């Protein structure tokens, strides 16, 4: 199964005040101009800047024995002061903006490598991290999470106990054989995930990383499949490869004597891959089978959201079934165990395992619903609609004069330009608030401005996920919004985007 994301959502700001705002926000906006009537025109300043909302990692395929293949919800990281935030005249150091799969340390991009704001997805300069790097097959980094070592130790201990009954002559060496089995099993899981990855690359969907972790593997695919057919194929190839591996291990068993170490290992790998395939084919999110069910309902209804809702509720029903049914089936010997030899501790272990699996499936199904709603509302985030009107001022213009011009024009932002009108920097609203009114005639706007980089120039035509990609690539408090011709359209505040995001998520689908 494929899991992506983290937890947490962008927080909303405080309610709209009617008090006087310092700086360009004093202006009375023209209701006819979207730059003067953005939904956050009257937003109250807060000491903290809300983080730019994170895009989902759409299209992530279900993962092997790790039922949370739903894209993760945003994981908030603290961001710098934004427009409308009280502060000093010093320029704050921008913090990384949350990324589409769950943000992680070391993900901060270099502004020099960020994409131009023409709708082009920015390149990611750093690896996502997430454990011990094992390699980059097909250019995709593969990590082993710390939780894998715990599971590997558990598999070694359990399988070693079974070997003691089948091959008692091995003695303590049985644990070395068991460790080899654990590694070979997770190599099979990696093949399962590589099948998802190859299919995603074939469909030109970016794959952030593969991670081997507790209960299986994760292929973090950052875009959603464009059609239900591709969604179905993307989900099905993983269980298909597990079935193929199970068949190959079965064929390899035929010339091998059953009571030997190779025979036991091959039998164990055959059965384990068969279980992986069968489990992932269960028709509920966040399993691969849930993705396949979603694709079928999507094809029938024509709406991806309908497919997600259906598959997510089936996934929740599946979680309840696992919680209740798994301990009962094991108690009745459905998995080949001897019920006469089972103890109270075995029952507790079965119940604990069932509870963990049920919790993972239930949480993954819920995340699938939340992220589907997020993707449905993402197109409502449009740079042109959220942009504040701005007035150009030269570098030596006193702050008081710049504010007077902004108020007269009904603008809420200042752009510092050279003598030819070329934008050089943006005057931060947080810095304006920190300048006492009696000092403003003697403070030049250039001393309160942040130099523009390529990543801080945003096309007015950007919307939805493309817009958030550009903002995440270059974390800042304000961005210059330009037309395709290069003409200045206005200034986009990261706080305005975050508040619009929160309002969009609060509306029902």
């Amino acid at each position: 199964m494929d899991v992506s994301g983290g937890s947490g959502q962008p927080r909303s700001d405080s309610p709209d005040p009617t008090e006087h705002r310092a700086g360009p926000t004093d202006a009375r906006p023209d209701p006819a101009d979207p730059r003067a009537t953005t939904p956050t025109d009257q937003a109250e300043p807060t000491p903290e800047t809300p983080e730019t909302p994170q895009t989902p990692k759409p299209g992530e395929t279900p993962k092997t024995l790790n039922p949370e293949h739903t894209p993760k919800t945003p994981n908030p990281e603290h961001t710098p002061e934004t427009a409308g935030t009280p502060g000093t005249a010093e320029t704050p150091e921008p913090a990384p903006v949350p990324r589409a799969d769950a943000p992680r340390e070391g993900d901060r991009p270099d502004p020099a490598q960020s994409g131009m704001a023409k709708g082009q997805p920015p390149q990611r300069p750093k690896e996502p991290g997430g454990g011990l790097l094992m390699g980059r097959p097909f250019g995709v980094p593969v990590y082993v999470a710390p939780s894998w070592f715990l599971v590997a130790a558990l598999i070694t201990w359990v399988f070693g106990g079974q070997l003691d009954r089948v091959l008692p002559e091995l003695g303590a060496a049985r644990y070395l054989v068991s460790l080899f089995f654990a590694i070979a099993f997770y190599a099979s899981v990696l093949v399962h995930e590589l099948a998802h990855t190859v299919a995603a690359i074939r469909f030109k969907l970016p794959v952030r990383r593969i991670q081997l972790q507790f209960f299986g593997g994760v292929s973090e695919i950052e875009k959603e499949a464009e059609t239900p057919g591709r969604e179905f194929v993307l989900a099905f190839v993983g269980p298909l490869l597990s079935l193929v591996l199970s068949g190959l291990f079965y064929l390899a068993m035929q010339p091998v004597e059953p009571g030997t170490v190779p025979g036991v290992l091959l039998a164990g790998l055959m059965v384990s891959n068969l279980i992986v395939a069968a489990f992932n084919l269960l028709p509920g999110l966040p399993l691969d089978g849930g993705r396949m069910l979603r694709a079928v309902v999507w094809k029938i209804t024509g709406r991806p959201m309908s497919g997600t809702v259906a598959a997510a509720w089936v996934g929740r029903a599946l979680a309840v079934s696992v919680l209740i049914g798994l301990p009962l089936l094991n108690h009745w010997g459905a998995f080949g165990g001897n019920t006469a030899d089972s103890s109270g501790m075995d029952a507790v272990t079965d119940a604990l395992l069932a509870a963990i699996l049920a919790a993972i499936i239930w949480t993954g199904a819920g995340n699938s619903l939340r992220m589907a709603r997020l993707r449905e509302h993402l197109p409502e985030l449009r740079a042109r609609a959220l942009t504040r009107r701005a007035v150009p001022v030269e570098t030596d213009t006193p702050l008081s004069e710049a504010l007077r011009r902004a108020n007269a024009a009904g603008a809420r932002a200042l752009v510092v330009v050279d003598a030819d009108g070329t934008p050089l920097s943006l005057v931060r609203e947080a810095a304006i608030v920190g300048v006492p009114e009696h000092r403003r005639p003697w403070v030049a706007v250039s001393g309160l401005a942040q130099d523009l980089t390529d990543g801080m120039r945003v096309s007015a035509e950007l919307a939805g996920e493309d817009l958030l990609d550009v903002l995440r690539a270059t974390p800042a408090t304000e961005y210059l919004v330009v037309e395709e011709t290069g003409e200045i359209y206005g200034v986009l505040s990261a706080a305005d985007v975050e508040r619009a995001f929160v309002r969009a998520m609060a509306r029902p689908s």
Side-chain angles (χ1 to χ4, degrees):
M1 298 168 299
D2 293 283
V3 181
S4 67
S7 60
Q9 293 187 6
R11 59 186 182 278
S12 57
D13 281 359
S14 52
D16 297 343
T18 56
E19 298 179 0
H20 174 80
R21 286 175 65 93
T25 56
D26 293 341
R28 303 282 182 186
D30 179 4
D33 191 336
R35 293 169 290 179
T37 58
T38 113
T40 55
D41 280 352
Q42 299 298 324
E44 178 181 347
T46 56
E48 287 185 342
T49 295
E51 59 274 6
T52 302
Q54 163 188 346
T55 21
K57 297 178 184 175
E60 292 185 338
T61 54
K63 296 190 170 36
T64 309
L65 283 184
N66 191 349
E68 295 185 34
H69 76 259
T70 304
K72 299 178 184 176
T73 50
N75 185 5
E77 282 186 26
H78 187 69
T79 54
E81 290 183 288
T82 63
T85 304
T88 66
E90 298 178 1
T91 303
E93 178 68 20
V97 181
R99 299 157 61 92
D101 44 243
R104 290 167 177 81
E105 293 183 5
D107 280 351
R108 181 174 179 172
D110 183 358
Q113 300 183 19
S114 60
M116 287 293 292
K118 294 283 187 180
Q120 298 294 330
Q123 295 182 353
R124 184 174 291 106
K126 291 188 178 181
E127 294 286 358
L132 179 64
L133 178 64
M134 302 301 294
R136 294 182 178 85
F138 305 102
V140 177
V142 175
Y143 292 92
V144 173
S147 60
W148 177 86
F149 295 96
L150 175 64
V151 178
L154 180 62
I155 292 175
T156 300
W157 177 64
V158 172
F159 193 70
Q162 295 177 347
L163 282 178
D164 190 36
R165 292 192 294 269
V166 179
L167 299 170
E169 66 273 11
L170 287 177
R174 67 182 183 275
Y175 291 109
L176 290 177
V177 177
S178 299
L179 178 60
F180 178 82
F181 170 78
I183 295 173
F185 169 69
Y186 267 87
S188 301
V189 172
L190 177 59
V191 172
H192 177 112
E193 297 305 325
L194 285 174
H196 291 307
T197 297
V198 171
I201 294 173
R202 173 67 178 81
F203 295 144
K204 295 181 172 54
L205 301 176
V207 182
R208 184 169 181 248
R209 67 175 180 177
I210 296 174
Q211 187 183 50
L212 299 180
Q213 54 180 231
F214 190 78
F215 275 117
V218 176
S219 298
E220 296 188 3
I221 301 172
E222 297 189 338
K223 299 287 183 181
E224 187 178 41
E226 297 176 354
T227 66
R230 290 186 175 186
E231 171 83 350
F232 189 93
V233 171
L234 201 58
F236 181 61
V237 291
L240 177 62
L241 256 292
S242 294
L243 288 173
V244 170
L245 286 176
S246 181
L248 291 177
F249 287 126
Y250 174 77
L251 293 176
M253 283 174 54
Q254 303 311 305
V256 177
E257 190 171 340
T260 62
V261 170
V264 172
L265 285 175
L266 289 172
L269 291 171
M270 179 198 70
V271 172
S272 60
N273 277 277
L274 189 61
I275 293 174
V276 166
F279 183 74
N280 278 277
L281 284 174
L282 293 175
L285 285 173
L287 303 172
D288 290 330
R291 288 286 178 179
M292 295 161 63
L293 175 61
R294 175 181 183 268
V296 171
V297 177
W298 177 4
K299 179 66 174 178
I300 295 172
T301 64
R303 296 186 68 247
M305 185 65 182
S306 298
T308 301
V309 171
W313 279 105
V314 173
R316 286 175 169 176
L318 180 63
V320 175
S321 301
V322 168
L323 179 63
I324 299 174
L326 187 62
L328 291 177
L329 290 174
N330 202 38
H331 177 72
W332 294 334
F335 301 116
N338 189 346
T339 57
D341 296 337
S342 61
S343 62
M345 183 57 67
D346 293 332
V348 172
T349 303
D350 294 340
L352 180 60
L353 177 62
I356 294 174
L357 282 176
I360 291 174
I361 296 174
W362 183 279
T363 302
N367 286 342
S368 297
L369 284 174
R370 284 190 292 272
M371 298 315 299
R373 186 177 67 176
L374 184 151
R375 289 194 298 270
E376 194 172 53
H377 289 307
L378 270 182
E380 299 176 17
L381 301 180
R382 298 184 298 276
R384 189 176 294 279
L386 296 172
T387 297
R388 299 176 175 185
R389 178 184 292 175
V391 293
V393 293
E394 295 188 353
T395 56
D396 57 352
T397 304
L399 177 58
S400 59
E401 171 61 18
L403 295 180
R404 185 196 65 79
R405 297 180 192 177
N407 291 335
R412 302 188 57 233
L414 300 173
V415 179
V416 180
V417 299
D418 61 15
D420 297 326
T422 303
L424 302 175
S425 56
L426 300 178
V427 180
R428 297 179 303 106
E429 189 173 358
I432 294 174
V433 173
V435 179
E437 190 169 352
H438 68 276
R439 290 192 56 219
R440 291 176 182 178
W442 291 274
V443 175
V445 292
S446 58
L448 307 175
Q450 180 178 5
D451 291 339
L452 284 170
T453 63
D454 288 340
M456 291 172 63
R457 299 174 188 268
V458 178
S459 169
E461 303 304 323
L462 285 177
E465 190 172 346
D466 289 337
L467 173 61
L468 297 184
D469 282 343
V470 171
L471 301 192
R472 285 196 311 271
T474 308
T477 58
E478 290 96 5
Y479 300 84
L480 179 67
V481 181
V482 296
E483 299 281 10
E484 295 296 331
T485 59
E487 179 184 357
I488 296 175
Y489 182 73
V491 171
L492 178 65
S493 168
D496 292 347
V497 176
E498 191 275 340
R499 283 187 282 265
F501 179 89
V502 170
R503 276 192 298 275
M505 286 298 296
R507 288 194 292 274
S509 299

